[in-house]
Amino acid sequence: MRLEPITLTGRHVRLEPLTLDHAPSLLAAADRDRSTFGYTPVPDTIDRMSAYISTLLADAARDSAMPFVQVRLTDNTPVGCTRYLNMLWWPDRSTPAEVEIGGTWLSADAQRTPLNTEAKFLMLQQAFEQWKVFRVAIMTDALNARSRAAIERLGATFEGIVRKHRPNTGTATTPGQPRNTAAYSIIDDEWPSVRDQLNARLRQTPPVN
């Protein structure tokens, strides 16, 4: 493993390394309301949640991902997952040159709060300022209008639709069939402006109850 697990902490959310011990609390978070998981694979039993986590940890061991549990700071409750994935390594670099942020889901009571924005901010800050990546990709199902709007609010640039790019997931799709992916990115030249805009937004938000 080239990168040691890290913890990222803001005002609203703490991103801590995902472990199998998180399975029960993540299942409880997901079970509060599953109606918004139409395009996101969120396991619905403890065995499936444990298998899901084991797969992400295996990806981390191969240096292709870094998964986190999202913990709401006001009550120290796990409310979802997110991760770096598709980490690209160039020769003669000790850190990745490009990462993707994705695999994100939040419990119903954590959605439409500052948690998602701050989590993305923390991950972007780590990627650009510590790892010195050149590009952060953010991908979503082209049909997922809610996710696309959230990505655009971050300040990411729409790059186009990648046709039949990845398998469908989630209850609103036919799992395993190819989906079209809406591709977005932020590059290192854009990060200072994006950082300032996100900082301004986050300063205006009170702590999440």
Side-chain angles (χ1 to χ4, degrees):
M1 184 178 294
R2 303 192 209 184
L3 296 175
E4 292 298 319
I6 57 175
T7 298
L8 305 174
T9 304
R11 293 174 57 225
H12 308 286
V13 67
R14 180 175 68 251
L15 303 180
E16 60 185 49
L18 181 65
T19 72
L20 282 168
D21 291 339
H22 290 116
S25 56
L26 287 174
L27 183 62
D31 281 346
R32 286 198 275 278
D33 180 356
R34 291 181 166 271
S35 62
T36 61
F37 299 150
Y39 298 96
T40 307
V42 182
D44 57 0
T45 68
I46 192 64
D47 288 344
R48 289 173 180 166
M49 185 65 76
S50 296
Y52 164 83
I53 294 172
S54 294
T55 297
L56 298 184
L57 296 179
D59 289 342
R62 291 191 293 268
D63 296 319
S64 64
M66 181 179 286
F68 299 96
V69 60
Q70 303 191 75
V71 179
R72 184 169 51 207
L73 289 180
T74 51
D75 56 6
N76 209 39
T77 298
V79 292
C81 287
T82 191
R83 65 185 181 271
Y84 296 110
L85 66 159
N86 294 323
M87 304 174 83
L88 299 184
W89 299 83
W90 290 6
D92 303 319
R93 279 183 60 105
S94 60
T95 56
E98 177 184 334
V99 297
E100 180 181 339
I101 294 175
T104 302
W105 62 269
L106 283 168
S107 62
D109 57 333
Q111 295 174 22
R112 299 188 182 278
T113 74
L115 268 71
N116 183 59
T117 299
E118 187 173 63
K120 294 295 192 297
F121 171 80
L122 293 170
M123 296 176 77
L124 289 165
Q125 184 177 53
Q126 172 68 27
F128 285 118
E129 298 181 12
Q130 301 302 317
W131 296 338
K132 306 298 182 183
V133 303
F134 301 118
R135 180 176 185 272
V136 174
I138 310 176
M139 308 284 197
T140 191
D141 191 310
L143 298 176
N144 192 343
R146 183 173 176 179
S147 178
R148 293 181 66 173
I151 295 168
E152 289 165 7
R153 285 195 298 271
L154 292 173
T157 296
F158 177 58
E159 296 182 323
I161 302 297
V162 187
R163 298 180 299 167
K164 293 193 173 183
H165 177 232
R166 289 179 178 167
N168 275 326
T169 59
T171 58
T173 69
T174 303
Q177 292 298 303
R179 80 172 196 193
N180 294 334
T181 294
Y184 295 82
S185 72
I186 299 169
I187 59 174
D188 53 351
D189 308 275
E190 299 164 342
W191 169 238
S193 176
V194 171
R195 178 190 59 207
D196 292 347
Q197 292 177 39
L198 291 178
N199 257 326
R201 281 176 57 188
L202 288 166
R203 281 197 300 268
Q204 297 170 4
T205 57
V208 180
N209 294 320

